Amino acid sequence: LSVSDDVPAEDIIAAFADSATIGLALTGSYARGEATPWSSDIGILRFIQVQPSDEEGLYSLSMLDGKLWSLNTTTIAVKEASSSRPQDAIWTVPALRQTRIILDRTGELGALKQKADDFRWEVLQDPADRHASYISMD
């Protein structure tokens, strides 16, 4: 598996996976196969067991081998919870559907992606209606 012709998955794992990492996924234009030499960054979603409490632990940018990398760190539980809230699911579900899994040590990331792939928006219709009603009242 490679991100592109010049970025093998092994390099991503070596750069971004440590003993706390349970999974890594490629996001954005590289995950969709739409990357060009002018793409802004290579997006990596890193999953760990405990959500970082500091901003730097949640998101970082770095230059490696002349490429800009964005690293978002989260947990499976955080993504599952945001998939159940209409105001978050609208962003979370499509993003999970487009990811390309690079590393899945526990199988949890594959299961999360499968849940996103199987997700049906009708399930959130009632909560979405309530949320829309609430925010329209302001």
Side-chain angles (χ1 to χ4, degrees):
L1 174 69
S2 66
V3 174
S4 65
D5 293 337
D6 60 339
V7 184
E10 296 79 25
D11 289 357
I12 296 170
I13 293 168
F16 299 108
D18 59 18
S19 61
T21 304
I22 61 170
L24 293 173
L26 186 64
T27 64
S29 60
Y30 278 87
R32 293 187 306 271
E34 300 171 355
T36 69
W38 304 278
S39 293
S40 61
D41 65 347
I42 301 172
I44 302 295
L45 187 55
R46 177 178 176 248
F47 290 89
I48 58 177
Q49 291 292 337
V50 179
Q51 180 79 357
S53 58
D54 62 314
E55 196 170 307
E56 188 176 305
L58 291 170
Y59 179 77
S60 65
L61 287 172
S62 57
M63 287 293 293
L64 297 170
D65 299 325
K67 293 175 178 39
L68 180 63
W69 297 79
S70 63
L71 177 67
N72 286 283
T73 301
T74 190
T75 68
I76 299 291
V78 165
K79 289 296 180 188
E80 284 179 335
S82 66
S83 295
S84 68
R85 294 185 302 265
Q87 65 271 29
D88 297 327
I90 195 167
W91 308 107
T92 303
V93 171
L96 288 171
R97 285 178 171 172
Q98 75 165 359
T99 60
R100 284 182 41 207
I101 296 173
I102 298 169
L103 175 70
D104 189 4
R105 290 183 172 149
T106 63
E108 293 172 277
L109 182 50
L112 178 66
K113 183 170 179 7
Q114 188 62 55
K115 284 180 187 176
D117 290 343
D118 295 343
F119 180 84
R120 298 293 169 252
W121 294 101
E122 298 80 18
V123 173
L124 289 182
Q125 188 62 59
D126 288 339
D129 291 345
R130 285 191 302 276
H131 179 70
S133 175
Y134 175 77
I135 62 171
S136 66
M137 297 299 288
D138 286 341

